[in-house]
Amino acid sequence: VSVKKGHILILDEPTNHLDMESIQGLTAGLKTFGGGVVLVTHDMRLLREMEAEVWVVKDGELHEEAGGCDGYRRQVLKEVAAREAKAEREAMKREKAREERRANARAAAAGVRAP
């Protein structure tokens, strides 16, 4: 942040190992920096405080997240919930198929054809 005449800063997880006072100082410095900032972070507080644009690399493509960090978080949670629901449905189908195989095996052992 203290670089003179810098045009762009690239920061990777800059708040790791910083205390709150240092994070506040970093945030203040970034806000007054006259150039561009590329910030890779999981620190949602920093992103909110910086009012940062959020860009996401997904499936090899770069996309802007119009909803900011909170919109991105909601989208990720929605995707996780959809994957979990799909996995649950698939698990239920597998269990139903196992039950049908067991019923068929019991019926075959009894010499009766299962429905």
Side-chain angles (χ1 to χ4, degrees), residues 24-43:
Q24 290 169 349
L26 173 66
T27 303
L30 290 174
K31 284 183 172 184
T32 61
F33 179 67
V37 177
V38 176
L39 181 63
V40 178
T41 186
H42 290 91
D43 189 335

Side-chain angles (χ1 to χ4, degrees), residues 9 21 47 88 106 115:
L9 291 175
E21 186 176 323
L47 290 172
E88 181 67 25
R106 284 191 299 270

Side-chain angles (χ1 to χ4, degrees), residues 98-115:
R98 274 193 289 272
E99 289 298 323
E100 288 174 359
R101 285 193 302 275
R102 288 182 192 133
N104 288 339
R106 284 191 299 270
V112 179
R113 185 174 171 176

Side-chain angles (χ1 to χ4, degrees), residues 86-102:
K86 181 180 179 184
E88 181 67 25
R89 287 190 304 273
E90 290 172 356
M92 290 174 69
K93 285 180 185 178
R94 286 191 303 272
E95 182 59 29
K96 183 178 178 181
R98 274 193 289 272
E99 289 298 323
E100 288 174 359
R101 285 193 302 275
R102 288 182 192 133

Side-chain angles (χ1 to χ4, degrees), residues 44 48 54 65 67-75:
M44 299 293 275
R48 285 187 192 102
V54 176
E65 177 56 55
C69 60
D70 291 319
Y72 177 65
R73 183 176 185 275
R74 283 189 298 274
Q75 181 62 34

Side-chain angles (χ1 to χ4, degrees), residues 3 7 12 14 35 51 54 56 63 72 79 81 83 95 99-101 109 112:
V3 174
H7 297 284
D12 184 9
E51 299 175 6
V54 176
V56 179
H63 304 278
Y72 177 65
E79 290 172 5
R83 281 195 304 270
E95 182 59 29
E99 289 298 323
E100 288 174 359
R101 285 193 302 275
V112 179

